[in-house]
Amino acid sequence: MAETTYIDAIRRALGEEMERDANVFLMGQDIAAFGGAFRASKGLFEKYGRLRVINTPLMESGAIGAALGAALVGKRPVLEMQFADFVSCGFNQIVNNVAKTYYRWEAPVPMVIRLPFGGGAGAGPFHSQSPEAWFAHTPGLCVVAPSTPRDALGMLKAAVRDPNPVIYLEHRFLYRREKEDLGEGDLLTPLGRAHVVREGKQVTVLSWSWTLHESLAAAEELAKEGVSVEVVDLRTLSPLDEETIFTSVRKTGKVLIVHEATITAGFGAELAARVADQCFEHLDGPVRRVAYADRPSPYNKKLEQSLLPGRERITAALRKLARY
Amino acid sequence: MAETTYIDAIRRALGEEMERDANVFLMGQDIAAFGGAFRASKGLFEKYGRLRVINTPLMESGAIGAALGAALVGKRPVLEMQFADFVSCGFNQIVNNVAKTYYRWEAPVPMVIRLPFGGGAGAGPFHSQSPEAWFAHTPGLCVVAPSTPRDALGMLKAAVRDPNPVIYLEHRFLYRREKEDLGEGDLLTPLGRAHVVREGKQVTVLSWSWTLHESLAAAEELAKEGVSVEVVDLRTLSPLDEETIFTSVRKTGKVLIVHEATITAGFGAELAARVADQCFEHLDGPVRRVAYADRPSPYNKKLEQSLLPGRERITAALRKLARY
Amino acid sequence: MAATKRSKPPPPLTPAGTDPKVLRRAHFLMRLSRAWDSRFEAMARVGRIGRWYSAVGNECTTVGTALALGANDAISTVHRDLGAVLTTYLDATRLAPALFPAGDATEWDALRPPPQSLLDTLASQVFGRRGGFTRGVDRSFHYGLVKPDWGIRHVGMISHLGSMIPVASGLALANLQDGNDRAVLGFIGEGATSQGDFHEALNLAGVMKLPLILVVENNRYAFSTPLAEQYACEKLSDRAPGYGIAGETVDGLDFDAVHAAMTRAVARARSGEGATLLECMLPRMRGHAEGDGSYELIPPAEREEYLKQDPLARFEAALLARGQADAARIKEVTEVTKAIIEDAVERALLTEEPELAEATRPVFAPGEVATAFARQSTEVTGG
Amino acid sequence: MAATKRSKPPPPLTPAGTDPKVLRRAHFLMRLSRAWDSRFEAMARVGRIGRWYSAVGNECTTVGTALALGANDAISTVHRDLGAVLTTYLDATRLAPALFPAGDATEWDALRPPPQSLLDTLASQVFGRRGGFTRGVDRSFHYGLVKPDWGIRHVGMISHLGSMIPVASGLALANLQDGNDRAVLGFIGEGATSQGDFHEALNLAGVMKLPLILVVENNRYAFSTPLAEQYACEKLSDRAPGYGIAGETVDGLDFDAVHAAMTRAVARARSGEGATLLECMLPRMRGHAEGDGSYELIPPAEREEYLKQDPLARFEAALLARGQADAARIKEVTEVTKAIIEDAVERALLTEEPELAEATRPVFAPGEVATAFARQSTEVTGG
Ligand SMILES: Cc1ncc(C[n+]2csc(CCOP(=O)(O)OP(=O)(O)O)c2C)c(N)n1
Ligand SMILES: Cc1ncc(C[n+]2csc(CCOP(=O)(O)OP(=O)(O)O)c2C)c(N)n1
Ligand SMILES: [Mg+2]
Ligand SMILES: [Mg+2]
């Protein structure tokens, strides 16, 4: 069978869900005839027309608000931000309107906001950010970040079907680099479930998205050195699958949290806090984090690379932790 | 001497800094003749006129952007959000424009954004929020949250003088409830310095703003029970005064973090993470947090009270931790 | 600081060209809205409720526009739109049968639920009680009621002004997608027109020819800020050409003018001609919120002028002048509506506070995500 | 999808009414901008640089407007405003002495730094090299240069389109506060006018009568989106009345018209009459970014039409027709500017990559906050 890339998995999910449910529709900038900046919706405009693949003017807040309105009367909008960085322009609609509606008056808000995020492309401070912590701090939002084509497909489909707003973080660096044979069928990945990608005994790594792959590479490296590392792909950041996480940490006694977002008040802090509280008696070493320094993402590729929490930094941190 | 309330301390700071430096000016909604929703600028319009106390139209993003522009050419704007909750409407200007300018092209951005925040008034989901974590996660912003009139005065003055953007969180519940005799003179509180408000031996409480007072009340309660609690007022959340925090936790061996914002990915998570990393060997118990449940703030006062992390919940958590 | 520059409204006006059925219903609903405000203003004055944002002066606009809609047209309201809410929710003919001849009931009325119970729910809502739409979790008009079976599609506000305009545009978009001819009515104060969301939503409405009518309730002040500090155009409807949509400014004291302009706008929406920006000029008859000191900032002479312009008084004067109602009828409507509101308020005040468990009720609708949320430790979920 | 509806630009135009000194400088700067683009487009085609946003077609507008400013007027630029940056930064008479008679140097030129060094810095900036304004930390036009001693007040862009309009309004506000008569020129694409920030800033400019000129570079497409999907008004300057500011739409192929309209707008700004929204209609001569496939989406006939409308070619044709330059002069300017750019680019390519330490340079300006930041553990500060 042909291999499916991460971005193709996203396109497949969109196509399958639009086919399944006539209420599903897409909104975003340049997503119609052009198929989107990353071509995630390529071909769908031709198939479903201008009322289900809606090219919006250059705006974010207005588009998110409009999607909310449509969702309140039974539609299931899937909104693409051209880059995750631009979601800040529609921040209020998400955190105050979309997120709070169900709690306030029990109206379900089935909508997905797709955020192409992350660095590694030398794209500078405004096309490289990882905004998940802002949304994880906002009650009422589900925040997911798949790391494989399989989960990109299965979680997007699950997100479209859930009656709640889902912030869907898709990593641009993985778009064409990750490939899998997915086969046929209606493949779903449950929301709210982490996944132990690699079993191990001495240290647990908690990560997601691009850094998950870097963590796996680092675990491989450590294996050569005789250290057994367990790697957990969180997949859903909020709500959190505490059970899977705590089970792993209690088993290994050590934890390294790895993410691409800047470190201070990043989502890794929440993981550290829960572990330091709920696994305290099982910890055999300090809770460590590897993440981006508290800086914007520099434009020059070498500068950016020096800050990205890649496999070298993870490997070094794992070594240190294993020796602790 | 007369006692000065927290809100009067803010007004005094604004007045003194405007008098000291002609580049300091105020912007906000209803701040001119009306003196602001909480009267923080009362009297200043009459004194300094419409170009230094600027009533803006009903907008946040445009006002923050305008303040940035003025700051880039030598002005020192102090912007009032009518309620902290509305800052989400200007979020992009803060996190992408204001915060990143110095790193990007080394242009200092001396500006202060005042955020009247917090609950306790039965004001519902949109007039009660505590947004500090979003900003603490954004490199390039200084985030402060004074808890006393003395620090409200001294930190606002320091913030106006610093060449960097400062997010100044002022708690509405404290406005008229906290009073102190401040005396005369040019009173400054250094930015980036926490303050051990109460010394103790068995547990450290890390908190700020309204919950700092609740924590002190809880510490008092524990004292009666023979438990010695140290209470640290962080005052500045970002950058963090690790030295003061770590010194205290290493001494007591136990830490309770208390804040009003919702718990998941709140700023308390960052404190827990740093402590769980840097004080691991000194910890005699799990790192605990008392904070708001992951919910919007309900309107009905009784409902709201049931969620606020007040002295009872803090006391209970301290008791448990002390016994651990 | 005075709201300068705008010209004074024209002399007294008359509801001449409107269907008598509509006039009867309008009169009842405007009086009902006014009675509600009077009751709550009184409670606010003695501190029995915390804040009250009065809709006195807005009735002609809120009722006059909402009455031009049909079942399952949608409305999106902000803080002074009680009149539109009542108009949308209530079968007036069942609420006050004595006031309406048999033929006044509409097809929509047949769909509507018993009016008394909706009114009671609304009163409980405003008090933050158990029986309200949000059962205490959110304030007054911060909720929605989307009940296609009742013909009601109402989306309430969040506090962030301007934010609901894009949402209203989305309601309109769904109509376009469904290929129906329903219209959407959104309200906004003149102050909130300064928000970016106003622009983004109206631009979308223009580009997509959305069946949206945005009514600007221009009461010349936003909190303390007079319109001269809010915008610099002559009329806010001057913004319509910039979005390629229809624009009109009407006198919010003139029921006929409001209703007729809205009727035109609804026709445009239904026929695919697109959106309308309808500005209604209102007298500022009250301060921002009761007792917040904002009214005192308006020069006394200006205030007096506004109080003289009461649209409800003008409406009734016109009814009398035209022989569309006599003094007895006006008195009766006034008293009946007052009694209805008194009753609803009294009943609501007797209802219970919400259950404490409401505070931690779910933030997610039932499903996979909600289940995962509930699996977390209760320290986090608060559950 | 074609950009429909807008009428075709009028026949060839002539820079007739403009001062010969201005015409000479304009010609040089437009050619310099074009030479820069040609060089970078070529590099983008062979993958030597990642992306290039071409300003081909914008030169008449960027240079024509920026040339109407004086020392310490401010400019705020976005991604196709190379022409305005060059116009603001460079003493053309020192950069190419052979091309300008002695009297062409202005008072502002006397303040300006040596042009070659600024040009070199700019080239290094675009490559993300050590010698650039940001020393590798941010891309091409994402920086600013505020040097009152040089008469230069330039605020560059962030990627978030629309965000710089409020900032430009703030630059204008500071002028008002200082009581000077300086103007501010901001640029924006027609796509970015859909952002809320456009609205909020222009509304403020109207209310405060800010000395701001917002130039809309309407090249009929935003990335892939044609203007009919971007807005529904006839002209974007139709939005000006909605803000109570002056509005004008001019043909961006007509240097005289652009320069004259800008000159009028600057006069308004200086005299306290307030802001202007100046829309310049441009041909879309390139795709969004080189090689991103967006140009191919435009119908071929439409593309050809745009390519025929090249404002620089028209400008030169007009110079010739009017006898304001001969073929030799045009050739010379073309060659000299090409050589200047070749040189600057070659030199920049030879410069070093930034020092790695730049990645963790301070996020705070020196002071109490910066010191506190540096005190944190290096895991956090990355320091
Ligand atoms: C985004 C936002 N900013 C500020 C406020 C604070 N605020 C509440 S009401 C109000 C004035 C509203 O004026 P207008 O829109 O004219 O409505 P009116 O009250 O006059 O009917 C303001 C500034 C808000 N609610 N939302
Ligand atoms: C807030 C925001 N949303 C989306 C984008 C992505 N984007 C970059 S350029 C562009 C099109 C810009 O069009 P226009 O403003 O017309 O300028 P042009 O490139 O045509 O000169 C878009 C959508 C962005 N940069 N900023
Ligand atoms: Mg108003
Ligand atoms: Mg364009």
Side-chain angles (χ1 to χ4, degrees):
Chain A
M1 283 275 290
E3 302 234 290
T4 303
T5 62
Y6 188 98
I7 186 74
D8 285 337
I10 289 170
R11 189 183 310 116
R12 173 170 159 188
L14 295 175
E16 287 179 5
E17 293 306 301
M18 290 183 80
E19 194 57 37
R20 192 187 51 79
D21 181 349
N23 285 316
V24 176
F25 75 95
L26 313 184
M27 283 179 89
Q29 293 160 30
D30 304 292
I31 67 164
F34 192 61
F38 300 102
R39 312 301 168 102
S41 52
K42 202 166 168 54
L44 296 173
F45 173 67
E46 290 71 14
K47 189 154 178 199
Y48 295 104
R50 59 168 205 95
L51 289 176
R52 288 188 68 197
V53 182
I54 300 176
N55 231 19
T56 72
L58 208 165
M59 60 167 181
E60 284 77 23
S61 184
I64 297 167
L68 169 59
L72 287 172
V73 289
K75 301 294 170 194
R76 293 183 170 262
V78 181
L79 203 62
E80 173 178 294
M81 294 286 112
Q82 200 157 81
F83 283 79
D85 307 71
F86 303 142
V87 76
S88 50
C89 296
F91 196 68
N92 178 61
Q93 284 290 353
I94 299 180
V95 303
N96 279 314
N97 222 349
V98 169
K100 292 185 174 50
T101 297
Y102 187 75
Y103 180 75
R104 291 167 56 237
W105 51 285
E106 293 168 311
V109 178
M111 68 187 265
V112 180
I113 304 181
R114 290 180 40 234
L115 301 184
F117 85 111
F126 305 110
H127 291 79
S128 308
Q129 298 175 75
S130 300
E132 64 269 20
W134 292 333
F135 300 115
H137 184 46
T138 306
L141 300 174
C142 172
V143 183
V144 307
S147 64
T148 65
R150 174 69 183 76
D151 286 341
L153 172 68
M155 296 186 84
L156 185 48
K157 286 165 64 82
V160 170
R161 297 184 198 184
D162 199 89
N164 294 291
V166 179
I167 305 293
Y168 180 92
L169 291 134
E170 44 190 73
H171 203 294
R172 293 164 44 222
F173 195 81
L174 303 179
Y175 275 165
R176 292 183 171 84
R177 286 182 181 83
E178 289 299 314
K179 299 187 184 58
E180 290 182 75
D181 186 344
L182 296 181
E184 305 281 306
D186 191 27
L187 301 174
L188 290 155
T189 302
L191 304 178
R193 292 289 188 193
H195 178 208
V196 179
V197 183
R198 179 191 175 103
E199 302 212 359
K201 295 192 184 113
Q202 290 159 276
V203 190
T204 295
V205 175
L206 304 176
S207 194
W208 60 91
S209 201
W210 173 69
T211 50
L212 190 273
H213 297 278
E214 297 299 301
S215 300
L216 283 171
E220 201 65 52
E221 196 57 40
L222 271 275
K224 290 183 205 150
E225 301 172 16
V227 179
S228 164
V229 176
E230 176 145 316
V231 180
V232 181
D233 183 356
L234 295 188
R235 305 197 293 197
T236 298
L237 307 188
S238 180
L240 197 60
D241 181 357
E242 294 180 333
E243 194 189 322
T244 304
I245 294 166
F246 296 162
T247 302
S248 175
V249 175
R250 285 173 189 147
K251 178 177 79 174
T252 62
K254 288 180 182 171
V255 62
L256 181 72
I257 298 156
V258 185
H259 62 67
E260 185 176 329
T262 53
I263 191 164
T264 295
F267 190 69
E270 179 61 27
L271 296 171
R274 293 208 202 179
V275 163
D277 182 346
Q278 301 290 315
C279 307
F280 175 71
E281 303 192 349
H282 301 81
L283 284 177
D284 300 322
V287 179
R288 286 271 148 87
R289 291 177 291 168
V290 171
Y292 215 88
D294 284 339
R295 296 291 186 292
S297 201
Y299 170 53
N300 179 288
K301 270 199 185 180
K302 290 191 181 128
L303 298 187
E304 188 195 16
Q305 286 301 329
S306 78
L307 293 183
L308 279 169
R311 53 193 74 190
E312 288 80 19
R313 281 179 58 203
I314 304 169
T315 305
L318 280 174
R319 266 193 210 116
K320 225 166 136 185
L321 204 51
R323 267 193 261 114
Y324 188 92
Chain B
M1 284 276 292
E3 301 234 292
T4 303
T5 61
Y6 187 99
I7 185 74
D8 285 337
I10 289 170
R11 189 183 308 117
R12 173 171 158 187
L14 296 174
E16 287 180 5
E17 293 306 301
M18 289 183 81
E19 194 56 35
R20 192 187 52 77
D21 182 350
N23 285 317
V24 176
F25 75 95
L26 313 184
M27 283 181 90
Q29 293 161 30
D30 304 292
I31 67 163
F34 192 61
F38 301 102
R39 312 301 167 103
S41 52
K42 204 166 167 53
L44 296 173
F45 173 67
E46 289 72 14
K47 190 156 179 199
Y48 295 104
R50 59 170 206 93
L51 289 175
R52 288 188 68 197
V53 182
I54 300 177
N55 230 19
T56 71
L58 208 165
M59 61 167 180
E60 284 78 22
S61 184
I64 296 167
L68 169 59
L72 286 171
V73 288
K75 301 293 172 193
R76 293 184 169 260
V78 181
L79 202 62
E80 173 179 295
M81 295 285 112
Q82 199 157 84
F83 283 78
D85 306 71
F86 303 142
V87 76
S88 49
C89 295
F91 196 68
N92 178 60
Q93 285 289 353
I94 298 181
V95 303
N96 279 314
N97 222 348
V98 169
K100 293 185 173 51
T101 297
Y102 187 75
Y103 180 75
R104 292 167 54 237
W105 52 285
E106 293 167 312
V109 178
M111 68 186 266
V112 180
I113 304 182
R114 291 179 39 235
L115 301 183
F117 85 111
F126 305 111
H127 290 79
S128 309
Q129 297 175 77
S130 301
E132 63 270 20
W134 291 333
F135 300 115
H137 184 45
T138 306
L141 300 174
C142 172
V143 183
V144 307
S147 64
T148 64
R150 174 68 183 76
D151 285 341
L153 172 69
M155 296 186 84
L156 184 48
K157 285 164 65 81
V160 170
R161 296 185 199 183
D162 200 87
N164 295 291
V166 178
I167 306 293
Y168 181 93
L169 292 135
E170 44 188 76
H171 204 294
R172 293 164 43 222
F173 196 81
L174 303 180
Y175 274 166
R176 292 181 172 85
R177 286 181 182 82
E178 288 300 313
K179 299 186 183 61
E180 281 182 82
D181 186 344
L182 295 182
E184 306 281 306
D186 192 28
L187 301 174
L188 290 155
T189 302
L191 304 177
R193 291 290 188 192
H195 178 209
V196 179
V197 182
R198 179 190 175 105
E199 302 213 357
K201 294 192 184 113
Q202 289 160 276
V203 191
T204 294
V205 176
L206 304 176
S207 193
W208 60 90
S209 202
W210 173 69
T211 50
L212 190 273
H213 297 279
E214 298 298 301
S215 301
L216 282 172
E220 200 65 52
E221 196 58 39
L222 272 275
K224 291 184 205 150
E225 302 172 15
V227 180
S228 164
V229 176
E230 176 145 316
V231 181
V232 181
D233 183 356
L234 295 188
R235 304 196 295 197
T236 298
L237 306 187
S238 180
L240 197 59
D241 181 357
E242 293 180 333
E243 194 189 321
T244 304
I245 294 166
F246 295 164
T247 303
S248 177
V249 175
R250 285 174 189 147
K251 178 177 78 175
T252 62
K254 288 180 180 171
V255 61
L256 181 72
I257 297 155
V258 186
H259 61 66
E260 186 176 328
T262 53
I263 191 164
T264 295
F267 190 69
E270 179 61 28
L271 295 172
R274 293 210 201 178
V275 163
D277 183 346
Q278 301 291 314
C279 307
F280 175 70
E281 303 193 347
H282 301 82
L283 284 176
D284 300 322
V287 178
R288 286 271 147 87
R289 291 177 291 169
V290 170
Y292 216 88
D294 285 338
R295 295 291 186 294
S297 200
Y299 170 52
N300 179 290
K301 270 198 186 181
K302 289 190 182 127
L303 297 187
E304 187 195 15
Q305 286 300 329
S306 78
L307 292 183
L308 279 169
R311 55 192 74 189
E312 288 79 19
R313 281 179 59 204
I314 303 168
T315 305
L318 280 174
R319 267 193 209 115
K320 224 166 136 186
L321 204 52
R323 265 192 262 114
Y324 188 92
Chain C
M1 207 140 312
T4 47
K5 166 174 117 180
R6 268 9 86 148
S7 56
K8 286 195 189 158
L13 301 148
T14 51
T18 311
D19 178 357
K21 283 187 203 177
V22 170
L23 289 180
R24 269 193 298 276
R25 192 180 284 248
H27 185 214
F28 174 80
L29 290 163
M30 285 162 71
R31 270 282 158 214
L32 200 65
S33 177
R34 178 67 58 94
W36 184 297
D37 263 315
S38 304
R39 188 74 187 83
F40 280 78
E41 285 175 1
M43 283 187 287
R45 270 195 297 276
V46 298
R48 243 185 119 174
I49 53 170
R51 318 211 97 202
W52 185 249
Y53 299 95
S54 177
V56 168
N58 293 48
E59 298 95 338
C60 182
T61 294
T62 53
V63 174
T65 53
L67 265 178
L69 297 178
N72 275 317
D73 287 329
I75 66 164
S76 151
T77 57
V78 286
H79 52 299
R80 302 194 202 276
D81 299 324
L82 173 67
V85 173
L86 298 174
T87 304
T88 304
Y89 285 11
L90 301 180
D91 173 0
T93 65
R94 258 186 294 167
L95 187 58
L99 292 178
F100 296 98
D104 271 21
T106 64
E107 279 177 39
W108 188 0
D109 285 333
L111 298 176
R112 284 174 166 128
Q116 193 61 61
S117 86
L118 264 187
L119 206 57
D120 285 356
T121 309
L122 191 58
S124 280
Q125 170 64 23
V126 172
F127 288 117
R129 296 293 169 88
R130 181 175 297 198
F133 293 107
T134 68
R135 302 193 304 279
V137 155
D138 208 344
R139 76 200 304 170
S140 45
F141 300 106
H142 290 205
Y143 71 93
L145 186 69
V146 178
K147 289 273 191 193
D149 293 353
W150 296 350
I152 296 174
R153 289 171 191 256
H154 170 219
V155 174
M157 70 190 290
I158 66 169
S159 293
H160 297 66
L161 294 174
S163 302
M164 299 315 296
I165 315 178
V167 177
S169 80
L171 298 169
L173 171 60
N175 288 342
L176 214 64
Q177 291 172 316
D178 288 342
N180 64 37
D181 70 348
R182 291 178 190 147
V184 177
L185 163 60
F187 290 98
I188 201 70
E190 91 292 345
T193 63
S194 299
Q195 284 281 330
D197 272 0
F198 169 90
H199 174 72
E200 297 190 4
L202 287 191
N203 184 48
L204 182 72
V207 169
M208 296 199 74
K209 284 196 172 295
L210 298 179
L212 174 70
I213 300 116
L214 185 70
V215 169
V216 179
E217 301 170 89
N218 190 337
N219 62 1
R220 298 152 203 263
Y221 286 86
F223 203 158
S224 77
T225 303
L227 40 72
E229 294 178 30
Q230 194 68 247
Y231 59 84
C233 47
E234 270 309 306
K235 311 188 294 315
L236 281 169
S237 58
D238 290 346
R239 291 191 178 158
Y243 302 115
I245 64 177
E248 220 175 312
T249 293
V250 298
D251 183 348
L253 300 173
D254 184 341
F255 182 87
D256 257 23
V258 170
H259 191 262
M262 179 67 185
T263 304
R264 284 191 293 277
V266 171
R268 269 195 294 270
R270 298 209 196 290
S271 67
E273 288 167 76
T276 302
L277 179 60
L278 177 57
E279 180 187 33
C280 300
M281 299 305 297
L282 309 178
R284 180 78 162 183
M285 295 179 68
R286 296 289 186 274
H288 177 60
E290 285 313 294
D292 64 2
S294 59
Y295 210 50
E296 289 65 48
L297 226 65
I298 302 178
E302 191 183 332
R303 266 186 269 161
E304 262 166 55
E305 189 56 38
Y306 293 144
L307 291 170
K308 273 191 264 170
Q309 293 173 1
D310 181 355
L312 182 45
R314 296 217 172 188
F315 182 80
E316 289 178 343
L319 288 178
L320 283 172
R322 295 258 160 192
Q324 289 159 329
D326 58 17
R329 164 84 188 183
I330 287 172
K331 188 156 176 268
E332 192 186 0
V333 169
T334 305
E335 280 167 6
V336 168
T337 50
K338 198 169 164 231
I340 290 171
I341 295 304
E342 284 292 340
D343 272 16
V345 166
E346 285 322 307
R347 269 196 304 276
L349 283 172
L350 294 174
T351 62
E352 284 176 277
E353 293 284 326
E355 293 190 70
L356 273 191
E358 292 290 357
T360 49
R361 74 186 192 195
V363 284
F364 292 114
E368 216 165 62
V369 171
T371 308
F373 183 78
R375 268 198 306 268
Q376 295 177 108
S377 39
T378 55
E379 275 123 78
V380 179
T381 64
Chain D
M1 208 142 312
T4 47
K5 167 173 119 181
R6 270 3 90 150
S7 58
K8 284 193 190 162
L13 301 148
T14 51
T18 311
D19 177 356
K21 282 188 204 177
V22 170
L23 289 180
R24 270 193 298 275
R25 193 179 284 248
H27 185 214
F28 174 78
L29 289 164
M30 285 161 71
R31 270 280 157 216
L32 199 65
S33 177
R34 178 65 59 94
W36 185 295
D37 264 315
S38 304
R39 189 71 187 86
F40 280 79
E41 286 174 0
M43 283 187 287
R45 270 194 297 277
V46 299
R48 242 185 118 174
I49 53 170
R51 318 211 96 200
W52 185 249
Y53 300 95
S54 176
V56 168
N58 294 48
E59 299 94 341
C60 182
T61 295
T62 53
V63 174
T65 53
L67 263 178
L69 296 178
N72 275 316
D73 287 329
I75 66 164
S76 151
T77 56
V78 287
H79 52 298
R80 302 194 203 278
D81 299 325
L82 173 66
V85 173
L86 298 174
T87 303
T88 304
Y89 286 12
L90 301 180
D91 173 359
T93 65
R94 258 186 295 168
L95 188 58
L99 291 178
F100 297 98
D104 271 20
T106 64
E107 279 177 39
W108 188 0
D109 285 333
L111 298 177
R112 284 174 166 127
Q116 194 61 60
S117 87
L118 265 187
L119 207 58
D120 285 356
T121 310
L122 191 59
S124 280
Q125 169 64 23
V126 172
F127 288 118
R129 296 294 168 90
R130 182 174 297 197
F133 293 107
T134 68
R135 303 193 303 278
V137 156
D138 207 345
R139 75 199 305 170
S140 46
F141 300 106
H142 290 203
Y143 71 94
L145 187 68
V146 179
K147 289 273 190 193
D149 292 353
W150 295 350
I152 296 174
R153 288 170 192 256
H154 170 218
V155 174
M157 70 188 292
I158 66 169
S159 293
H160 296 65
L161 293 174
S163 301
M164 298 315 295
I165 315 177
V167 177
S169 80
L171 298 170
L173 171 59
N175 288 341
L176 215 63
Q177 292 172 316
D178 288 341
N180 64 37
D181 69 350
R182 290 178 189 146
V184 177
L185 163 60
F187 289 98
I188 201 70
E190 92 292 345
T193 63
S194 299
Q195 285 280 332
D197 272 1
F198 169 90
H199 174 71
E200 297 191 3
L202 287 192
N203 185 47
L204 181 71
V207 169
M208 296 199 75
K209 284 196 171 296
L210 297 179
L212 174 71
I213 300 117
L214 186 70
V215 169
V216 179
E217 301 170 89
N218 190 336
N219 62 359
R220 299 152 202 261
Y221 286 86
F223 203 157
S224 77
T225 302
L227 40 72
E229 294 179 30
Q230 193 67 247
Y231 59 84
C233 46
E234 270 310 304
K235 312 188 292 320
L236 281 169
S237 57
D238 290 347
R239 291 191 178 158
Y243 302 115
I245 64 176
E248 221 174 312
T249 293
V250 298
D251 183 348
L253 300 174
D254 183 342
F255 181 87
D256 257 22
V258 170
H259 191 259
M262 179 68 184
T263 304
R264 284 191 294 276
V266 171
R268 271 194 293 271
R270 298 209 197 289
S271 66
E273 289 167 75
T276 302
L277 178 61
L278 178 57
E279 180 186 34
C280 300
M281 298 305 297
L282 309 178
R284 179 79 162 182
M285 295 180 66
R286 296 290 186 272
H288 175 60
E290 284 313 294
D292 66 0
S294 58
Y295 209 51
E296 290 64 48
L297 227 66
I298 302 179
E302 191 183 333
R303 266 186 269 161
E304 262 166 55
E305 188 57 36
Y306 292 144
L307 291 170
K308 273 191 264 167
Q309 293 173 3
D310 182 355
L312 182 46
R314 296 217 171 187
F315 181 81
E316 289 179 342
L319 288 178
L320 283 172
R322 295 259 159 191
Q324 289 160 327
D326 58 16
R329 164 85 189 183
I330 287 172
K331 186 156 177 268
E332 192 185 2
V333 170
T334 306
E335 281 168 6
V336 169
T337 50
K338 197 168 166 233
I340 289 172
I341 295 303
E342 283 292 341
D343 272 16
V345 165
E346 285 324 307
R347 268 197 304 276
L349 283 172
L350 293 175
T351 62
E352 284 176 275
E353 292 282 327
E355 293 190 69
L356 273 192
E358 293 290 356
T360 50
R361 74 187 193 194
V363 284
F364 292 114
E368 215 165 62
V369 170
T371 308
F373 183 77
R375 269 197 305 268
Q376 296 177 108
S377 38
T378 55
E379 275 124 79
V380 178
T381 64

